[in-house]
Amino acid sequence: MEIPVFGQDKIVLQNYREALVRELDQIKTSPDDFYLIIDLPSKQIHLKSQGNVLRTCPILNLSPIEARLTQNYHFVNRIDPVSVEPGNANLRLRGRLFPFDFSGRLIEGPRHRSRLYFTQNLVIRADGILTGATPHLILSPLDIKALGSALHPGNIAIFIPHAEANH
């Protein structure tokens, strides 16, 4: 017996189906690449490779996003705000880049102000600094660090919008 699906539920299922088709295409064309599934209905981002979930990051907050259909975003760049220590032959740490929010060991790098930029205007960030009119998602600093270290320019993020955006 088939269960009837109406209205918003049908739109949500169509969005998930489209995301699965896009994910299968990603696995076939670039099997070794990492990619993201940005799932707004469940407020989670999944870091995946070859269909396997490597990390799930809860979305803490987000700006209004106008996307109506499931679509691909392409990772462009990770920007870590840093300050350059002045170079001097007598200094042990000469010329190294230090994050503005530095704490702990040098290899940890910046966390709180790092941002992940995607084409079609999307920013994933951990700080409270506004990005203007650019839509953004806010994750925890540790999640930003993990996603930023896994992604390389050109990796995709499959975006699944809210059902309310579909009219």
Side-chain angles (χ1 to χ4, degrees), residues 8 11-12 15 40-41 65-68 161-167:
Q8 297 295 335
I11 294 168
V12 169
N15 286 341
L40 285 191
I65 298 175
E66 297 293 324
R68 299 180 182 276
H162 285 296
E164 300 88 50
N166 297 304
H167 293 302

Side-chain angles (χ1 to χ4, degrees), residues 43-44 57-62 125-126 137-141 143:
K43 287 195 158 189
Q44 293 181 334
C57 309
I59 298 172
L60 304 177
N61 201 350
L62 61 129
R125 61 191 180 93
L137 306 172
I138 298 178
L139 303 181
S140 75
D143 289 336

Side-chain angles (χ1 to χ4, degrees), residues 13-167:
L13 291 176
Q14 287 173 343
N15 286 341
Y16 279 113
R17 180 185 180 284
E18 176 65 24
L20 287 172
V21 169
R22 289 172 184 266
E23 183 175 358
L24 182 59
D25 184 49
Q26 169 65 23
I27 293 168
K28 286 180 181 177
T29 58
S30 303
D32 296 331
D33 285 353
F34 293 108
Y35 58 95
L36 298 180
I37 304 292
I38 301 173
D39 187 355
L40 285 191
S42 69
K43 287 195 158 189
Q44 293 181 334
I45 295 179
H46 305 285
L47 174 64
K48 297 180 91 173
S49 177
Q50 297 180 354
N52 299 311
V53 176
L54 304 175
R55 186 179 184 106
T56 298
C57 309
I59 298 172
L60 304 177
N61 201 350
L62 61 129
S63 68
I65 298 175
E66 297 293 324
R68 299 180 182 276
L69 302 172
T70 299
Q71 60 186 338
N72 289 355
Y73 286 89
H74 294 276
F75 180 64
V76 177
N77 197 7
R78 179 186 78 217
I79 296 183
D80 297 325
V82 293
S83 64
V84 179
E85 272 301 295
N88 187 327
N90 297 331
L91 295 176
R92 182 175 68 97
L93 301 174
R94 63 178 177 258
R96 291 195 185 176
L97 298 177
F98 286 95
F100 291 142
D101 58 344
F102 175 73
S103 64
R105 301 179 344 184
L106 279 179
I107 61 172
E108 290 180 358
R111 292 184 182 164
H112 298 287
R113 300 198 189 281
S114 296
R115 295 179 178 189
L116 308 177
Y117 288 88
F118 293 83
T119 57
Q120 298 182 16
N121 297 328
L122 180 68
V123 177
I124 299 177
R125 61 191 180 93
D127 59 20
I129 299 171
L130 296 177
T131 56
T134 305
H136 63 269
L137 306 172
I138 298 178
L139 303 181
S140 75
L142 292 176
D143 289 336
I144 289 289
K145 183 75 174 172
L147 296 182
S149 64
L151 295 176
H152 299 288
N155 290 138
I156 68 163
I158 301 169
F159 181 82
I160 305 170
H162 285 296
E164 300 88 50
N166 297 304
H167 293 302

